């Protein structure tokens, strides 16, 4: 006997309309609580409104409990960001946004992490493919890949200096205070995200598809390029985005390896010296205080969020179809 599914009341309104309504209500509630100087009231409002949405989903006490408990984490993640944004001075942000020194920092803060993400994908995807297929000694390699995730960031910088600095693996490579050193440090801390995301994507691809391509005469490279790679492209893109985002936020390793670097700055048409964005924000905090550091951090946050959303949007078609036309 066929089971008749009752449409949820929220579905009847359309997900887009519900999302816009929720955002509008949350914005009004936050503005009211902030104007009263009681942001704690807004935290309570988030939990209560999430419980109401869980109830409206017609999933009973289970839906209410899941929505309520999940909203606690949303409070921890979202409320500090909202308060941070609300407490910024627009005039100070505008002043920092027109500062050429900040422009250089923003350029470097996007450019160097992009190089690190590309390096993570170029060398991490082949490694992820082999990890997904298995080989002798795999647990040791997996531990090595994941090690940067648990190493303190300042320690990561020291490891880079010992490994690739003076007397290291490549004596002719200048690492301390250079762009190559910065990219090495960023790659060291961000590559695990690219490898693990790509590996999960490869593991989700049915081995029989690749085997079928091989028995029909495709070479290993052709089977990867036409079958396995396109089906795993979503994981590879996700890994690249995560690696880039992780590199943007890195502070400790870069502060040790490349505190200030000289690089070619296209708008100036000549080499300039600047710092990675997190290091610059920290220095601004030490020298100018919390307000100036907050203004620079707000600009960096907006640029990072904009690029992150743009990359997600540009890759949406490919990831939705998993690269298969």
């Amino acid at each position: 006997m066929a089971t008749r599914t009752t449409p949820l009341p929220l579905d009847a309104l359309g997900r887009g309309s519900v999302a816009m309504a929720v955002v509008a209500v949350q914005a009004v509630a936050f503005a009211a609580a902030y104007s009263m100087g009681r942001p704690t009231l807004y935290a309570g409002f988030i939990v209560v409104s999430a419980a109401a949405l869980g109830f409206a989903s017609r999933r009973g006490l289970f839906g209410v409990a899941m929505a309520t408990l999940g909203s606690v984490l949303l409070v921890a993640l979202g409320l500090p960001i909202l308060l941070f944004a609300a407490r910024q001075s627009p005039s100070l942000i505008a002043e920092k946004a027109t500062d050429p020194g900040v422009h250089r920092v923003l350029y470097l803060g996007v450019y160097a992490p992009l190089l690190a993400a590309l390096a993570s994908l170029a060398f991490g995807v082949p490694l992820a493919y082999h990890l997904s297929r298995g080989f002798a000694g795999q647990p040791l390699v997996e531990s090595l890949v994941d090690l940067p995730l648990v190493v303190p960031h300042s320690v990561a910088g020291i490891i880079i200096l010992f490994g690739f600095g003076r007397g290291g693996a490549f004596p002719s490579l200048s690492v301390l205070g250079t762009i190559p050193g910065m990219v090495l440090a960023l790659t060291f801390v961000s590559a695990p995200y690219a490898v693990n995301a790509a590996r999960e994507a490869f593991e989700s691809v049915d081995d029989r598809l690749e085997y079928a391509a091989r028995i029909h005469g495709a070479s290993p490279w052709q089977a990867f390029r036409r079958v396995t790679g396109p089906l795993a492209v979503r994981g590879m893109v996700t890994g690249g985005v995560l690696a880039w985002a992780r590199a943007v936020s890195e502070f400790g390793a870069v502060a040790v390896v490349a505190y200030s670097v000289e690089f070619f700055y296209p708008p100036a048409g000549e080499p300039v010296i600047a710092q990675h964005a997190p290091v610059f924000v920290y220095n601004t905090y030490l020298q100018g205080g919390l307000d100036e550091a907050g203004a620079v951090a707000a600009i960096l946050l907006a640029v990072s969020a904009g690029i992150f959303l743009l990359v997600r949007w540009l890759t949406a078609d490919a990831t939705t179809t998993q690269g298969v036309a």
Side-chain angles (χ1 to χ4, degrees):
M1 183 175 66
T3 302
R4 183 177 182 181
T5 303
T6 303
L8 302 179
L10 296 180
D11 292 340
L13 298 175
R15 292 186 176 183
S17 300
V18 172
M20 292 183 63
V22 169
V23 170
V25 171
Q26 295 293 329
V28 172
F30 175 76
Y34 184 76
S35 63
M36 292 187 296
R38 301 289 299 277
T40 306
L41 293 178
Y42 178 65
F45 178 80
I46 293 178
V47 176
V48 173
S49 59
L53 289 173
F55 178 78
S57 69
R58 291 185 179 178
R59 291 187 174 88
L61 291 177
F62 174 79
V64 174
M66 297 297 281
T68 303
L69 294 175
S71 66
V72 174
L73 182 58
L74 288 180
V75 170
L77 296 175
L79 188 57
I81 295 178
L82 290 175
L83 289 173
F84 165 77
R87 297 178 62 181
Q88 299 308 310
S89 168
S91 60
L92 188 55
I93 292 178
E95 177 185 340
K96 293 297 181 183
T98 57
D99 186 347
V102 174
H103 296 168
R104 297 172 185 175
V105 169
L106 293 177
Y107 177 84
L108 181 62
V110 174
Y111 170 65
L114 178 61
L115 294 179
L118 292 176
S120 298
L121 285 177
F123 303 106
V125 167
L127 177 59
Y129 177 79
H130 285 294
L131 288 173
S132 69
R133 297 302 183 258
F135 54 84
Q138 181 170 342
L140 179 62
V141 176
E142 290 175 339
S143 300
L144 183 62
V145 170
D146 291 335
L147 186 61
L149 298 176
V150 298
V151 169
H153 297 180
S154 57
V155 175
I158 293 174
I159 291 174
I160 292 296
L161 289 181
F162 271 98
F164 301 105
R166 181 178 300 176
F170 304 101
S172 60
L173 178 64
S174 179
V175 171
L176 185 62
T178 65
I179 280 288
M182 177 179 286
V183 174
L184 278 173
L186 296 178
T187 304
F188 184 85
V189 299
S190 62
Y193 295 88
V195 174
N196 290 329
R199 176 191 171 183
E200 291 180 3
F202 286 132
E203 288 177 342
S204 68
V205 177
D206 193 338
D207 294 344
R208 291 173 294 182
L209 296 176
E210 186 174 323
Y211 177 74
R214 292 295 307 279
I215 63 175
H216 282 85
S219 66
W221 167 248
Q222 290 173 327
F224 178 85
R225 185 169 63 87
R226 295 181 179 275
V227 179
T228 310
L231 291 174
V233 68
R234 181 171 188 169
M236 289 187 277
V237 171
T238 300
V241 173
L242 291 177
W244 176 82
R246 177 64 188 84
V248 167
S249 64
E250 176 56 27
F251 172 80
V254 174
V256 172
V257 176
Y259 187 82
S260 295
V261 297
E262 184 180 56
F263 62 98
F264 181 77
Y265 184 52
E270 60 182 1
V272 299
I273 296 177
Q275 298 168 333
H276 190 36
V279 178
F280 182 80
V281 171
Y282 179 69
N283 283 334
T284 304
Y285 169 68
L286 294 179
Q287 299 172 6
L290 188 60
D291 290 340
E292 289 199 14
V296 177
I299 297 172
L300 176 63
L301 180 64
V303 171
S304 300
I307 294 176
F308 189 83
L309 294 175
L310 178 62
V311 172
R312 286 289 192 185
W313 179 73
L314 290 175
T315 58
D317 290 341
T319 55
T320 300
T321 62
Q322 295 184 342
V324 179

